[in-house]
């Protein structure tokens, strides 16, 4: 059974900091890994999708890496902004989710 | 391209009543998912459809929850009778194929409050 863990559960940083969110999974037989953002009371917005054959994906200030052998993915956010405040979730094969990291970026 | 449509957006019911949620996935998406998200937790997969067939319903409380996707397009999720602990956001998602090679798209969700 796939277990997905996200660390930290919550993170508060000042504006402008670079930060790293972590996602670990127990079953390395994944098709892909997807990072989502969820704003309070809203649905999930896809940020980055990493195929199992890839090692990383980039979109603007976001970079996600995938290491299947160690069962880990990291989401790197450069130069954080208050608008980045949200909950970040990762999902793996058959869409099993972690509990998310709640990010607050203070002006 | 239109997104995943869900309705209603909000629903308040008393315990032991029944409720139904509707989802219309992105056109052409073969795979449809229903999730339950309790406040402060990640989404929990309830059921996964591939076209009109069920792929995974291992976490669906079948004594009170049911779901169908009769024509392989839109889907309904029903709870009967509802309990207080069913209060949550119910999210629908779809993907082009089961492997999600092109990613997954979520609807805005239905927030259910059971009182």
């Amino acid at each position: 059974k796939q277990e997905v863990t996200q660390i930290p559960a919550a993170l508060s940083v000042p504006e402008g900091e670079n930060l790293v969110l972590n996602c670990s999974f127990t079953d390395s037989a994944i098709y892909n890994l997807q990072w989502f953002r969820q704003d309070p009371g809203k649905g999930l917005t896809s940020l980055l999708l990493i195929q199992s054959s890839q090692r990383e994906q980039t979109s603007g200030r976001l970079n996600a890496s995938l290491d299947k052998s160690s069962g880990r993915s990291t989401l790197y956010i450069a130069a954080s902004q208050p608008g980045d405040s949200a909950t970040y979730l990762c999902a793996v094969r058959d869409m099993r989710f972690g509990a998310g990291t709640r990010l607050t970026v203070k002006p | 391209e239109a997104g995943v449509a869900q309705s209603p957006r909000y629903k308040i019911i008393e315990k032991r009543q029944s409720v139904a949620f509707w989802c219309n996935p992105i056109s052409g998406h073969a795979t449809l998912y229903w999730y339950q998200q309790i406040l402060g937790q990640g989404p929990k997969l309830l059921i996964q459809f591939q076209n009109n067939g069920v792929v995974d319903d291992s976490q669906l409380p079948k004594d009170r929850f049911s779901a169908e996707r009769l024509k392989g397009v839109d889907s309904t999720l029903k709870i009967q009778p509802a309990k207080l602990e069913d209060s949550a956001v119910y999210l629908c998602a779809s993907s082009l194929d089961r492997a999600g090679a092109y990613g997954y798209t979520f609807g805005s969700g239905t927030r259910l409050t059971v009182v």
Side-chain angles (χ1 to χ4, degrees):
Chain A
K1 179 185 173 185
Q2 179 74 270
E3 298 285 342
V4 182
T5 305
Q6 290 190 247
I7 295 173
L11 183 62
S12 181
V13 300
E15 182 177 4
E17 270 203 12
N18 302 323
L19 54 98
V20 174
L21 308 181
N22 297 291
C23 171
S24 61
F25 46 93
T26 54
D27 184 355
S28 62
I30 60 173
Y31 292 129
N32 53 40
L33 185 143
Q34 193 163 1
W35 282 93
F36 293 87
R37 167 188 174 136
Q38 187 173 33
D39 293 284
K42 301 289 180 62
L44 279 69
T45 301
S46 178
L47 296 174
L48 290 165
L49 171 67
I50 311 176
Q51 303 291 352
S52 61
S53 59
Q54 298 174 321
R55 294 190 65 85
E56 66 178 314
Q57 279 288 332
T58 298
S59 176
R61 295 182 293 107
L62 305 180
N63 175 274
S65 65
L66 175 63
D67 184 346
K68 286 177 57 180
S69 61
S70 65
R72 290 183 181 179
S73 175
T74 60
L75 178 65
Y76 175 82
I77 302 177
S80 59
Q81 302 171 359
D84 295 330
S85 298
T87 296
Y88 291 80
L89 295 142
C90 66
V92 296
R93 175 178 181 162
D94 293 332
M95 293 295 279
R96 305 289 175 177
F97 280 87
T101 294
R102 189 173 67 255
L103 173 66
T104 302
V105 181
K106 295 175 288 187
Chain B
E1 140 182 287
V4 176
Q6 287 190 249
S7 66
R9 285 283 284 127
Y10 305 94
K11 190 73 176 179
I12 300 175
I13 62 171
E14 295 182 348
K15 59 183 179 184
R16 290 186 291 273
Q17 285 188 325
S18 62
V19 63
F21 313 127
W22 176 81
C23 172
N24 193 22
I26 291 175
S27 178
H29 278 199
T31 310
L32 185 148
Y33 310 80
W34 281 103
Y35 287 85
Q36 179 193 60
Q37 187 176 24
I38 294 172
L39 188 64
Q41 299 181 17
K44 170 188 164 185
L45 179 67
L46 293 176
I47 189 166
Q48 177 184 350
F49 291 96
Q50 180 71 13
N51 297 309
N52 62 348
V54 176
V55 173
D56 183 357
D57 63 356
S58 58
Q59 299 191 94
L60 186 73
K62 298 181 184 65
D63 57 334
R64 298 184 300 105
F65 286 65
S66 65
E68 60 183 16
R69 194 185 183 198
L70 293 175
K71 297 182 179 179
V73 181
D74 57 345
S75 175
T76 56
L77 175 70
K78 297 179 181 177
I79 307 175
Q80 181 180 12
K83 293 185 176 181
L84 295 176
E85 58 261 36
D86 297 332
S87 294
V89 175
Y90 291 84
L91 295 163
C92 179
S94 69
S95 61
L96 197 58
D97 61 357
R98 181 181 172 182
Y102 303 97
Y104 306 85
T105 304
F106 278 81
S108 299
T110 296
R111 181 178 298 277
L112 174 67
T113 302
V114 183
V115 298

